[in-house]
Amino acid sequence: MIPYGSHSIDAGDINAVVDVLENAFLTQGQQVPLFEKNLCDYTGARYAVAVNSGTSALHLACIAAGIGKGDRVWTSPNSFAASANCALYCGADVDFVDIDPRTRNMSVALLAEKLVSANANGTLPKAIVVVHFAGSSCDMEAIHRLTSCYGIIIIEDAAHGLGGKDKSGHPIGACKFSDMAVMSFHPVKSMTTAEGGAVLTNNESLANNVRLHASHGITKNSKDFSEQEQGNAWFYSQQSLGFNYRLSDLHAALGNSQIKRLDSFIAARRAKAEVYHQALASLPIELPERDANSAWHLYTIELTMHDRKKVFDELRDRGVGVNVHYIPIYHHVYYKNLGYSADDYPNCERYYNNTLTLPLYSELTADMQNSVIDILHEVLK
Ligand SMILES: *Cc1c(COP(=O)(O)O)cnc(C)c1O
C-alpha cells in the first residue's frame, strides 16, 4: 500500500540520534536549546519552545493565552480534533467557523459575520485557533484585521504549515499576524522528531509562560524565589500547575538534523503537487488551489461526479492508501454529545462528503506517483 504520507530518514538523521545516545544527556542537554534556535532561525519567530507533541504545544498556547472556564475559543471544523481539544482542556467552550469551500480554511467572510453577531450578543471568543489546512496559509492579515479591535488572541495551528509562507510571503511560524504559532513534528508532517511540537511567538511573556507550564510549572530561576530562599542552591519553585511536556534531546537531535533537509522536503512536495495538478486536470474532480506558498502537507481532491466511498474502497483495494482529511471535528461522538450540529457547517459537510487525500510526501517516487495517477484515472473512468 502506498501511504498518504510518510517521513524521510537518512544516515545523517540516524547518526545525529546515535551521537546523543553516546553522550551524557538524553534529555535537558544541548540539543533542545539548539533545536529551538534552529526553529527561530528558520521561521523568523523570536522565541520557540520545543515540546513533546503538537497537541501539548496547543494546550500550552491556550494556557499562555489565559484561556479558562467561561471563555470561548473558535476554530475550524476541518481539522484534527486537537485544534479544538486544547480549548476544552482549559475548560473553555469551543465553537466552529465554517470553511471557505475554495481554500478549505476557516472562511474569513463567515468569521467576519460571526464576530459581528457575537459582539452584539456579548459572546466574543477570547482566542481563535486558525489552521493552515494542507499547508496553505489562512489569510492571516485579514484575520488579524478582523479580530484585533476586539483583542482576540490568535493562535495558529501550523501543524501542516512549517516550510510554507503566508499570503504576504512571511514564513509560516513568523507570527507576523498572530500571537503564537504551533508546530507538530509527527512523522507525517513537514519534518519529524518522531513525536514533538513547538510553540513559536514574538512575545517574551507568552514564551516564558509556555516554558514554565511545559515543565511542571517549576522554575529554577532564583529571581522568582522568595527572599529567604535566595541563595539556597538546591531550591526550585513550583509557581503554577504545569505538565511534563518536555521534548527529549534524542528527539531534538533528530529535529536538528531534519530541519537542514526541510527546504528539500518542501521542494519535493511542491514538485509532486504540480505533477498531480497537470496529470489530474482532465478528470471530473476539483483540485486544491495552486498555492505556490503552500507547504503541501496534503493533496486533497473533491469528487464531483463519483461516490466517494466507492472510489475510496476501490483505490485502497488497488494499493493506493488514500485517506480523508478531515472528519469534521463536530462529527466525533464526543463533540456530538456537546451539542454541535452538522447543519451549522454546510461548506464543511459538502467538502467532507466528497474529499479524498492522495499520497504526497518527499519519498513518494515518480513510479509510485504515476501508478496513483493511472489507477485514479481508471477508477474514475
Ligand atoms: C498533527 C496535528 C496536530 C497534533 O499534532 P501531534 O504532534 O500529533 O500532537 C494538531 N493539529 C493539526 C492540524 C495536525 O495536523
Side-chain angles (χ1 to χ4, degrees):
M1 181 84 72
I2 301 172
Y4 85 89
S6 184
H7 56 270
S8 165
I9 297 292
D10 71 4
D13 296 330
I14 293 168
N15 290 336
V17 176
V18 170
D19 283 349
V20 172
L21 281 169
E22 289 170 344
N23 273 327
F25 291 97
L26 298 183
T27 192
Q28 295 173 283
Q30 289 311 303
Q31 291 296 324
V32 170
L34 176 61
F35 186 43
E36 290 173 343
K37 182 183 180 302
N38 284 335
L39 288 168
C40 289
D41 290 347
Y42 190 89
T43 59
R46 204 167 300 153
Y47 305 98
V49 182
V51 295
N52 60 5
S53 75
T55 302
S56 304
L58 282 165
H59 186 192
L60 293 167
C62 285
I63 292 171
I67 307 291
K69 214 171 152 47
D71 291 328
R72 293 177 187 79
V73 175
W74 293 357
T75 188
S76 168
N78 183 33
S79 187
F80 185 56
S83 304
N85 289 345
C86 57
L88 299 184
Y89 296 156
C90 295
D93 295 319
V94 167
D95 204 355
F96 301 100
V97 181
D98 203 1
I99 61 170
D100 178 323
R102 208 169 37 90
T103 66
R104 297 99 183 240
N105 280 329
M106 179 188 283
S107 160
V108 173
L110 294 173
L111 173 64
E113 277 177 28
K114 200 174 166 78
L115 284 168
V116 169
S117 63
N119 187 41
N121 301 333
T123 56
L124 282 169
K126 180 151 186 170
I128 61 171
V129 176
V130 296
V131 183
H132 306 306
F133 178 72
S136 184
S137 177
C138 298
D139 188 343
M140 292 307 298
E141 208 168 350
I143 290 170
H144 181 259
R145 193 174 340 104
L146 285 172
T147 54
S148 59
C149 56
Y150 303 117
I152 295 168
I153 295 160
I154 304 177
I155 299 168
E156 296 174 72
D157 179 343
H160 299 182
L162 184 60
K165 294 192 167 80
D166 72 11
K167 308 287 176 213
S168 351
H170 303 107
I172 292 180
C175 301
K176 289 287 173 206
F177 304 106
S178 72
D179 296 282
M180 289 171 273
V182 165
M183 298 296 173
S184 165
F185 309 117
H186 182 276
V188 298
K189 309 295 164 78
S190 303
M191 54 161 273
T192 191
T193 62
E195 296 281 0
V199 180
L200 306 176
T201 182
N202 294 320
N203 179 312
E204 186 179 11
S205 76
L206 289 175
N208 288 342
N209 190 297
V210 167
R211 197 176 291 290
L212 183 72
H213 287 96
S215 195
H216 310 281
I218 286 175
T219 178
K220 290 178 181 162
N221 192 339
S222 63
K223 78 172 167 36
D224 297 326
F225 299 168
S226 68
E227 213 167 296
Q228 75 207 66
E229 303 292 359
Q230 301 276 346
N232 290 341
W234 67 85
F235 202 68
Y236 59 84
S237 164
Q238 184 181 334
Q239 310 255 317
S240 181
L241 188 61
F243 304 86
N244 182 353
Y245 282 169
R246 292 188 307 262
L247 191 69
S248 82
D249 269 42
L250 284 180
H251 296 85
L254 180 54
N256 285 326
S257 180
Q258 286 259 305
I259 203 167
K260 294 184 203 150
R261 306 173 62 208
L262 178 53
D263 283 336
S264 74
F265 293 157
I266 300 298
R269 285 175 175 277
R270 228 168 247 164
K272 290 172 215 294
E274 196 51 40
V275 169
Y276 277 139
H277 282 318
Q278 301 195 1
L280 305 180
S282 62
L283 289 174
I285 59 178
E286 284 215 30
L287 301 180
E289 272 203 309
R290 230 171 176 148
D291 174 2
N293 286 334
S294 177
W296 286 110
H297 170 57
L298 300 173
Y299 194 92
T300 62
I301 60 170
E302 278 175 79
L303 302 171
T304 49
M305 321 231 322
H306 295 79
D307 181 73
R308 196 264 308 273
K309 179 173 162 44
K310 261 201 200 138
V311 174
F312 181 100
D313 290 344
E314 210 170 326
L315 287 167
R316 281 275 179 105
D317 283 348
R318 297 186 61 176
V320 180
V322 283
N323 220 311
V324 169
H325 294 93
Y326 278 98
I327 299 161
I329 297 174
Y330 53 77
H331 269 241
H332 295 298
V333 166
Y334 186 82
Y335 280 85
K336 273 196 184 140
N337 291 341
L338 294 176
Y340 299 94
S341 160
D343 297 342
D344 294 331
Y345 314 103
N347 297 344
C348 195
E349 282 300 291
R350 200 175 320 108
Y351 168 73
Y352 168 57
N353 287 323
N354 298 329
T355 194
L356 276 182
T357 304
L358 303 182
L360 180 68
Y361 47 96
S362 59
E363 301 273 283
L364 182 74
T365 64
D367 279 352
M368 288 156 89
Q369 191 175 19
N370 286 334
S371 106
V372 171
I373 290 164
D374 290 344
I375 293 169
L376 188 62
H377 272 273
E378 286 166 26
V379 168
L380 295 184
K381 204 177 273 156

